[in-house]
Amino acid sequence: MKTLIKISLGSLGVVALAAMAVAGYLIYPGTPSNASSLIFQGYVPLPSDSVLSVLDYLTVNDDKLFVTSESTGDVYRVQIGKGSLPMAADVARLPGQPAGHGVVIEPSSHLAFVTRSEANTVDIFDPAKMAAIKRIPVASDPDAIVYDDFNKLVYVASGDSHLATLIDPSTQTMLATIPLGGAPEYAALDASSRLLYQNLHDTNSVVAVDIAKHAVVQGWPLQGCEAPTGMAIDEVHRRLFIGCNANAVLAVFDLDEHRVVATVPIGKAPYSVAFDPTLHRIYTTGKSGVLVVIQQDEPNKYTKLDTVHLHYGAHTLTLDLATHTLYVGYAGLVVNPRVAVFIPRT
């Protein structure tokens, strides 16, 4: 009996140590693995009063980085572009209703718009004062948001309702809705055609939206891409880069031939995609916490440069095209959430 008790206690000790190791990994983000194409600059800490804070979209506007928290609803403004790593003093916070997602800045009024899926609203706030101004009801489950400078409208993609909502920032009211034919994820605006390309998560397809006409004008299947999520556009070479969540590849879609011309294996559960047209690099990350760097050799030829291990849940990123700085959002469990900052090795 004593031997059995000793074995049981020993087994419990092993389980406890394993549980502590898992908890330590989930709580402490550590340092990203080495990369040949990127230099890790450090973390920007974000204040939070929550035990769990899952970050969503990151948006660069001039010398400001905006970060949303899906779990708390907070919107953060980080002062960047100073030539040094932002510190806690460079961060301002706007508390809000939970489930904050995308942010855009309207250039003439300098007002910001943020989507909130639990409230089914787009909230307007003053980014200089970080103060709320107005709440606009929109279609259910608003998520991605894009400012269309051609039509001077804010485009909002709502997943559950399979609709896009158009907002007129001059009147701060909803203008129209557009049936999309599926559950939208991210979108990209093409300056040459003035069309917005919207991927549809549940139909494995992409559609072209004419915002001026308030209508979807065409759509195509994404061969070899299951559950498309993040998207970026190469306007010069007429390519869309789309993260495929279910089968963990980056799909390259030719906007002229309307077909997938290449796929590149990436990290599991990809969510965000960014493209640097100067360096010809594509960045992807997902819920597995793997950052992949891909070089565009030719419009239809791509080479994987790096697979960087970050931390589980580090699934959103954005790129400052002026400085080529890459920002990746990390969730916070017990510890505060943070943003990892990378600069390229050229």
Side-chain angles (χ1 to χ4, degrees), residues 73-131:
D74 292 342
V75 180
Y76 301 96
R77 185 197 68 206
V78 183
Q79 183 70 44
I80 59 175
K82 305 179 301 177
S84 59
L85 186 70
M87 306 300 289
D90 299 312
V91 180
R93 176 172 58 157
L94 171 66
Q97 190 166 339
H101 298 292
V103 172
V104 293
I105 310 297
E106 199 280 314
S108 61
S109 66
H110 302 291
L111 294 179
F113 296 73
V114 56
T115 52
R116 296 196 181 279
S117 61
E118 288 191 8
N120 294 326
T121 64
V122 170
D123 290 0
I124 305 175
F125 68 96
D126 182 343
K129 299 178 181 178
M130 293 298 281

Side-chain angles (χ1 to χ4, degrees), residues 20-38:
M20 290 174 62
V22 170
Y25 167 74
L26 291 175
I27 291 171
Y28 183 66
T31 302
S33 62
N34 292 331
S36 61
S37 61
L38 291 171

